[in-house]
């Protein structure tokens, strides 16, 4: 069946059972797969035949779920990873190595910032961070001859800046590199970055895709649209023979639609092993089945909360791109017409101290590192996820020291608002 709607793909995408086969995706809880001859197995190792041999590289349950996310995003190939961090790392390390450079938005998740600015820097990959509101000149100045990609988040965690995907895709393409978009907060329900020119999408499936705070996971999806072969020297790993795989050239053997994901599976999964377990993939799939029912409620509740906060005199500021007064409202209208997700950031008058006092008084909203699931929760990033940053870096990341990140769940909106109201009255 062609042209199915997103709602139907959430339920039925990625897996089509045959006659008499299980309706729900089977959990293939096996590390290994049996073959009749060593020749059969050898062909798999050489990537000459497709099939499963070891779950560190691929597993059918995970592949069903990756295929579903691939359909939801409108991509050509996808893979699951053990976490969003692994997906971010692989998406870049698949095309960049020691001596290369990446342009990244400064408004990114704290864990991603640390991965880039500290850990990948130790691997010899350099990052230049640019503001989502950078001028054309500033953006242009960030590129270098050894730049291999541009990286940003559709809705930045926790700054909530909305990425002008078209603008950053055009800039990336003008320099012959892909735009990688972390679409975690938007999910394919609210935005499909490929439709605006992004080339690779990644997810922390830990958030809305799972949606219940039950499993950690990640996903990488390829649009199949970036033509690596136009820049064979820049993307030599994709366009020249891989000695560690008997001389396979990924773009030749798997085409533009499969080269990126096959290389990431064959090399990075093989060597780093950040595999999502079949059990977790199964649970993730249950979450995705209700994505299209949950996301509208998250957006509706968050908008109500953001409006309430923006009218309360104890609140210093509110950031939610669904508010008409928001700096990113116009971008949200373009990229997020169905809503701006469930996450609202704000500051309580009185700064950092008031933030901590307020959060202590909340009863429904739990203090949790987590974000983007059915349960309302909140976090003070400056003392948690972003505590490794100094004040200057915090400001660049769009995280003021008083910022409270509230992840509005799908409980009753009045209950959530009353909880906030009472906590504010008690500080
Ligand atoms: C949580 C998060 C990540 C990291 O994902 P994990 O699954 O926790 O490893 C990456 N990007 C964004 C936007 C996130 O919110």
């Amino acid at each position: 069946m062609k042209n199915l709607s997103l709602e139907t793909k959430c339920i039925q995408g990625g897996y089509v059972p045959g006659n008499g086969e299980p309706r729900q995706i089977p959990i293939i809880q096996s590390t290994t797969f049996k073959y009749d001859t060593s020749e059969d197995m050898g062909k798999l190792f050489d990537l000459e035949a497709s099939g499963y041999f070891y779950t560190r590289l691929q597993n059918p349950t995970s592949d069903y779920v990756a295929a579903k996310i691939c359909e939801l995003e409108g991509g050509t190939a996808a893979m699951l990873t053990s976490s969003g961090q692994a997906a971010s790392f692989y998406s870049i390390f698949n095309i960049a190595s020691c001596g290369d450079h990446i342009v990244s938005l400064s408004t990114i998740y704290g864990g991603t910032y640390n991965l880039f600015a500290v850990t990948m820097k130790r691997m010899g990959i350099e990052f230049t961070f640019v503001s989502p509101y950078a001028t054309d000149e500033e953006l242009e100045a960030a590129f270098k001859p050894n730049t291999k990609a541009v990286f940003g988040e559709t809705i930045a965690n926790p700054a909530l800046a909305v990425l002008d995907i078209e603008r950053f895709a055009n800039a990336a393409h003008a320099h012959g590199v892909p735009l990688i978009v972390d679409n975690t907060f938007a999910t394919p329900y609210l935005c499909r970055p490929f439709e605006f020119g992004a080339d690779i999408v990644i997810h922390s499936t830990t958030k809305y895709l799972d949606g219940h705070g039950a499993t950690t996971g990640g996903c990488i999806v390829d649009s199949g649209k970036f033509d690596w072969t136009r820049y064979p020297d820049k993307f030599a790993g994709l366009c020249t023979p891989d000695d560690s795989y008997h001389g396979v050239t990924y773009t030749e053997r798997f085409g533009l639609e499969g080269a990126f994901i096959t290389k990431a599976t064959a090399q990075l999964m093989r060597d780093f092993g950040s595999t999502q377990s079949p059990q977790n993939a199964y649970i993730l799939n249950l979450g995705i089945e209700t994505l299209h029912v949950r996301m509208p409620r998250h957006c509706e509740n968050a908008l109500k909360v953001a409006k309430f906060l923006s009218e309360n005199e104890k609140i210093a500021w509110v950031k939610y791109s669904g508010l008409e007064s928001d700096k990113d409202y116009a971008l949200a209208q373009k990229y997020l017409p169905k809503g701006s997700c469930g996450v609202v950031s704000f500051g309580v008058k009185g700064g950092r101290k008031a933030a901590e006092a307020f959060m202590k008084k909340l009863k429904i909203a739990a203090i949790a590192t987590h974000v983007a699931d059915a349960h309302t929760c909140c976090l003070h990033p400056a003392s948690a996820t972003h505590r490794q940053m100094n004040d200057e870096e915090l400001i660049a990341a769009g995280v003021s020291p008083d910022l409270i990140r509230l992840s509005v769940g799908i409980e009753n909106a009045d209950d959530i608002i009353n909880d906030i109201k009472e906590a504010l009255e008690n500080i």
Side-chain angles (χ1 to χ4, degrees):
M1 270 194 288
K2 283 255 155 74
N3 300 325
L4 291 178
S5 66
L6 189 109
E7 288 78 0
T8 305
K9 287 179 189 166
C10 281
I11 313 279
Q12 302 213 1
Y15 169 70
V16 182
N19 195 30
E21 286 178 359
R23 187 73 186 95
Q24 186 50 279
I25 61 170
I27 304 172
I28 308 297
Q29 191 65 40
S30 181
T31 57
T32 196
F33 300 82
K34 173 245 170 204
Y35 288 93
D36 291 339
T37 69
S38 297
E39 289 78 38
D40 288 345
M41 181 135 246
K43 282 183 188 146
L44 298 179
F45 271 90
D46 282 354
L47 300 177
E48 275 169 18
S50 63
Y52 296 94
F53 55 96
Y54 194 51
T55 287
R56 165 149 48 75
L57 282 98
Q58 273 184 293
N59 172 282
T61 309
S62 301
D63 279 355
Y64 294 138
V65 184
K68 174 178 282 189
I69 298 172
C70 189
E71 282 184 37
L72 291 172
E73 288 286 4
T76 57
M79 68 197 282
L80 295 190
T81 56
S82 56
S83 67
Q85 286 299 96
S88 302
F89 173 57
Y90 283 16
S91 73
I92 290 187
F93 204 62
N94 204 31
I95 47 173
S97 41
C98 185
D100 288 336
H101 172 259
I102 304 291
V103 175
S104 172
L105 272 293
S106 56
T107 43
I108 50 173
Y109 171 66
T112 312
Y113 178 81
N114 203 66
L115 169 69
F116 290 175
V118 181
T119 302
M120 291 185 80
K121 192 177 170 202
R122 282 174 51 209
M123 298 173 166
I125 301 175
E126 199 201 339
F127 289 79
T128 298
F129 295 94
V130 296
S131 162
Y133 312 111
T135 63
D136 287 347
E137 292 72 34
E138 286 165 342
L139 178 55
E140 195 58 28
F143 286 89
K144 299 183 180 196
N146 57 343
T147 300
K148 292 296 175 76
V150 177
F151 184 97
E153 296 176 5
T154 312
I155 304 175
N157 175 9
L160 305 183
V162 179
L163 185 67
D164 190 345
I165 299 171
E166 236 164 45
R167 175 176 180 232
F168 283 85
N170 288 340
H173 297 161
H175 289 271
V177 300
L179 174 66
I180 303 170
V181 172
D182 179 338
N183 199 32
T184 298
F185 270 18
T187 82
Y189 179 80
L190 298 177
C191 178
R192 282 175 303 283
F194 294 155
E195 293 173 1
F196 301 99
D199 303 287
I200 308 285
V201 158
I202 66 151
H203 283 281
S204 165
T205 62
T206 316
K207 313 296 165 54
Y208 288 122
L209 288 177
D210 169 300
H212 299 80
T215 59
T216 306
C219 183
I220 309 174
V221 189
D222 184 6
S223 68
K225 279 190 260 178
F226 191 84
D227 190 353
W228 314 102
T229 63
R230 277 184 67 193
Y231 315 97
D233 297 333
K234 200 182 285 190
F235 302 109
L238 284 157
C239 303
T240 52
D242 176 3
D243 291 337
S244 76
Y245 259 108
H246 300 272
V248 50
T249 299
Y250 293 101
T251 46
E252 270 173 23
R253 182 84 65 80
F254 302 99
L256 295 183
E257 64 278 10
F260 188 90
I261 294 296
T262 309
K263 178 176 181 289
T265 304
Q267 292 179 341
L268 302 183
M269 250 341 162
R270 177 195 62 190
D271 296 349
F272 293 111
S274 316
T275 317
Q276 185 161 149
S277 79
Q279 289 281 348
N280 277 6
Y282 176 84
I283 295 168
L284 168 60
N285 183 59
L286 289 183
I288 298 172
E289 288 191 356
T290 59
L291 180 73
H292 61 296
V293 184
R294 292 183 285 109
M295 288 314 287
R297 177 63 81 88
H298 277 292
C299 295
E300 191 186 307
N301 281 3
L303 186 59
K304 284 183 189 164
V305 168
K307 281 187 176 150
F308 165 79
L309 289 169
S310 65
E311 286 158 11
N312 189 291
E313 57 181 23
K314 290 199 175 174
I315 301 298
W317 57 271
V318 184
K319 171 71 191 149
Y320 187 70
S321 64
L323 289 175
E324 277 175 47
S325 55
D326 193 86
K327 187 179 188 177
D328 290 326
Y329 183 70
L331 286 174
Q333 292 291 100
K334 173 172 178 179
Y335 293 108
L336 306 161
K338 289 201 269 186
S340 293
C341 92
V343 188
V344 180
S345 290
F346 61 97
V348 178
K349 284 182 188 161
R352 191 190 269 255
K353 276 230 171 83
E356 283 164 6
F358 162 74
M359 284 170 61
K360 253 185 240 166
K361 303 275 187 205
L362 291 166
K363 295 196 175 69
I364 291 179
I367 298 177
T369 318
H370 198 54
V371 62
D373 79 61
H375 318 78
T376 296
C377 61
C378 64
L379 180 81
H380 181 229
S383 56
T385 47
H386 288 60
R387 67 180 299 137
Q388 75 283 1
M389 289 187 176
N390 61 36
D391 278 2
E392 212 169 82
E393 289 169 331
L394 281 174
I395 300 297
V399 183
S400 54
D402 66 340
L403 184 149
I404 296 170
R405 182 186 71 190
L406 181 71
S407 175
V408 181
I410 53 177
E411 302 95 340
N412 180 290
D414 293 337
D415 288 348
I416 301 169
I417 290 171
N418 284 333
D419 189 31
I420 298 169
K421 203 183 204 167
E422 279 171 28
L424 285 171
E425 279 162 9
N426 285 319
I427 53 168

